[in-house]
């Protein structure tokens, strides 16, 4: 785990006397989130447990309308949906493609978009294309589709895939409805809730991916020669992300809520990005395995909170930004229920620790939510 000190004076302080969520005015979003799924042998138990926790939480009548579930709900991941290992390789015997089961788990959970992390590239780009499309090459260019591929797009705005022979053909236009571009790659997408609310989603990947994984030489990574500790490099990264956010909002003037899926490996970078960006409301961190908890969350036995869930910052536009993260390997399901005002600005005081937080997926966690 990468750890950095959290400076309290950077945060927007939210007092314990919360106003709770107000479903009668403005807009309330329910965001379920994962990062670093990276299945291993423990995932044989924890992935089904997470599914049970998700099913229980997503069925709750949180707005009190007498109907199970809540219409303004989205489910996203900030990357590393798989990692080479025993779990990953077992799919090769069943589906003809290592990692197929990892993709199918995301499909079954109903995840709507994922950012590229670093581990997606560990075995090169050919297997990524196979997993996104579901097309396995047999011989002489002939293919078959043993598992159907991904039901969601992959996102990253600071990686240029167009010259890569495997992933270039999967690149599509930015800002499209996520449900219309399954198995394709873009910098941004739009997720539409059941009630019709359109939420902008932008993806970004650590610029160190070329040094810690195997994306190959044909993917252009920006900014290049990136240093995690350089203020100038992080500002350059923020500029790359800002361009994608601005383009998304310009093309979709009805959207006033944006989520950044940011797989930066070191959560201090996401904290810095929160203060450098405009028009971003929520940042889902990834890669650092930093556990964020609120006062009501019950973690796995050996876990302690790295920082508060969510951590609130003030963006470059003067508006609040919420940063969230969960630990890896299906150990936690994140749930953020948060209010926005009529201008699409987050209301930090609406955070309710009885409703939101990081939900552990051990057997005790399953019991706590009655799953």
């Amino acid at each position: 785990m990468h750890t950095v000190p959290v400076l309290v004076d950077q945060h927007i302080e939210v007092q314990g006397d919360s106003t709770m969520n107000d479903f009668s005015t403005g807009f309330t979003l329910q965001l379920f989130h994962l990062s670093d799924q990276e299945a291993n042998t423990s995932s044989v138990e924890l992935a089904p447990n997470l599914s049970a926790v998700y099913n229980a939480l997503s069925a709750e009548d949180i707005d009190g309308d007498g109907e199970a579930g809540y219409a303004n709900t989205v489910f996203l991941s900030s990357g590393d949906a798989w990692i080479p290992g025993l779990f990953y390789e077992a799919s090769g015997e069943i589906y003809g493609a290592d990692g197929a089961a990892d993709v199918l788990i995301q499909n079954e959970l109903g995840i709507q978009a994922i950012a590229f992390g670093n581990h997606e590239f560990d075995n090169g780009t050919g297997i990524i294309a196979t997993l996104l499309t579901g097309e396995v090459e047999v011989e002489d260019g002939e293919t078959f589709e043993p598992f159907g591929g991904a039901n969601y797009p992959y996102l990253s705005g600071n990686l240029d895939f167009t010259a890569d022979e495997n992933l270039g053909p999967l690149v599509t236009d930015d800002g499209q409805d996520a449900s219309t571009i399954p198995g394709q790659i873009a910098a941004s997408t739009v997720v539409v809730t059941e009630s019709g609310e359109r939420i902008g989603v932008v993806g970004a990947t650590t610029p160190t991916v070329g040094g810690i994984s195997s994306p190959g030489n044909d993917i252009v990574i920006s900014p290049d020669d990136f240093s995690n500790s350089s203020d100038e490099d992080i500002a350059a990264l923020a500029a790359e992300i800002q361009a994608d956010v601005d383009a998304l909002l310009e093309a979709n003037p009805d959207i006033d809520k944006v989520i950044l899926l940011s797989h930066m490996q070191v959560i201090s970078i996401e904290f810095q990005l929160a203060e450098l960006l405009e028009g971003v409301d929520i940042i889902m961190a990834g890669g650092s395995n930093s556990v964020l908890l609120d006062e009501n969350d019950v973690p796995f036995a050996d876990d302690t909170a790295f920082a508060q869930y969510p951590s609130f910052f003030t963006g470059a536009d003067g508006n609040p930004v919420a940063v969230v993260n969960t630990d890896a390997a299906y150990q936690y399901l994140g749930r953020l229920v948060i209010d926005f005002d009529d201008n699409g600005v987050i209301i930090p005081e609406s955070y309710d620790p009885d409703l939101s937080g990081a939900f552990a997926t051990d057997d005790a966690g399953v019991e706590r939510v009655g799953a």
Side-chain angles (χ1 to χ4, degrees), residues 299-318:
F300 274 74
D302 296 329
D303 286 348
T304 57
F306 172 79
Q308 182 75 16
Y309 181 104
S311 291
F312 287 105
F313 295 85
T314 300
D317 53 7

Side-chain angles (χ1 to χ4, degrees), residues 22-28 72 257 339-343 347:
D22 184 357
F23 293 88
S24 63
T25 61
F27 176 83
T28 301
N72 287 312
K257 303 168 189 69
D339 290 352
F340 293 76
D341 68 17
D342 290 335
N343 296 314
I347 304 173

Side-chain angles (χ1 to χ4, degrees), residues 56-337:
L57 295 180
S58 63
E60 290 180 349
D61 178 18
I62 64 173
D63 58 348
D65 66 353
E67 301 288 335
Y70 178 60
N72 287 312
T73 296
V74 299
F75 197 177
L76 303 168
S77 165
S78 50
D80 279 1
W82 63 77
I83 189 172
L86 290 175
F87 193 101
Y88 172 87
E89 292 165 2
S91 292
E93 297 184 20
I94 302 169
Y95 301 104
D98 293 352
D102 296 277
V103 172
L104 288 172
I105 289 172
Q106 317 312 308
N107 288 350
E108 291 295 323
L109 288 172
I111 291 179
Q112 294 162 288
I114 300 182
F116 274 107
N118 52 292
H119 285 304
E120 275 90 354
F121 297 98
D122 284 351
N123 285 341
T125 61
I127 186 62
I128 299 174
T130 294
L131 293 176
L132 295 190
T133 63
E135 296 180 356
V136 178
E137 185 169 340
V138 186
E139 58 182 349
D140 299 329
E142 294 185 7
T143 63
F144 76 113
E145 297 183 12
F147 63 97
N151 289 347
Y152 49 86
Y154 252 98
L155 306 179
S156 185
N158 65 310
L159 303 184
D160 185 346
F161 301 91
T162 53
D164 184 88
E165 65 177 354
N166 299 307
L167 300 183
L170 301 182
V171 174
T172 189
D173 292 338
D174 300 335
Q176 298 181 75
D177 184 330
S179 66
T180 67
I181 52 170
Q184 297 182 67
I185 298 170
S188 63
T189 191
V190 176
V191 172
V192 184
T193 70
E194 186 179 320
S195 67
E197 187 76 15
R198 286 160 48 82
I199 310 294
V201 183
V202 175
T205 305
T206 173
T208 66
V209 64
I212 61 177
S213 191
S214 303
N217 296 323
D218 294 329
I219 294 177
V220 179
I221 303 168
S222 298
D224 58 3
D225 298 324
F226 181 84
S227 169
N228 289 338
S229 59
S230 166
D231 290 343
E232 293 79 9
D233 285 355
I234 295 171
L237 173 64
E240 293 273 347
I241 296 170
Q242 189 67 61
D244 291 325
V245 172
D246 292 346
L248 175 67
L249 293 175
E250 183 177 357
N252 298 274
D254 61 309
I255 290 177
D256 59 7
K257 303 168 189 69
V258 174
I259 300 171
L260 170 63
L261 310 182
S262 171
H263 195 97
M264 291 300 137
Q265 295 291 104
V266 184
I267 199 169
S268 63
I269 297 178
E270 276 98 1
F271 287 170
Q272 291 175 79
L273 289 173
E275 297 184 317
L276 294 172
L277 295 170
E278 299 181 5
V280 173
D281 303 289
I282 299 169
I283 298 178
M284 287 172 44
S288 66
N289 296 2
S290 302
V291 183
L292 304 189
L293 302 171
D294 69 27
E295 58 266 37
N296 287 353
D297 292 337
V298 182
F300 274 74
D302 296 329
D303 286 348
T304 57
F306 172 79
Q308 182 75 16
Y309 181 104
S311 291
F312 287 105
F313 295 85
T314 300
D317 53 7
N319 293 328
V321 182
V323 180
V324 295
N325 194 47
T326 59
D327 205 352
Y330 296 100
Q331 294 180 88
Y332 293 89
L333 175 68
R335 182 204 212 179
L336 178 65
V337 181

Side-chain angles (χ1 to χ4, degrees), residues 21-65:
N21 299 96
D22 184 357
F23 293 88
S24 63
T25 61
F27 176 83
T28 301
L29 175 69
Q30 177 172 235
L31 167 66
F32 287 104
H33 60 94
L34 295 173
S35 70
D36 304 272
Q37 291 88 304
E38 299 176 7
N40 55 37
T41 53
S42 70
S43 303
V44 175
E45 294 184 1
L46 291 183
N49 278 7
L50 183 141
S51 178
V53 170
Y54 170 66
N55 287 338
L57 295 180
S58 63
E60 290 180 349
D61 178 18
I62 64 173
D63 58 348
D65 66 353

Side-chain angles (χ1 to χ4, degrees), residues 348-363:
E349 295 80 12
S350 69
Y351 182 78
D352 181 356
D354 291 330
L355 195 59
S356 300
F359 291 79
T361 60
D362 54 4
D363 290 342

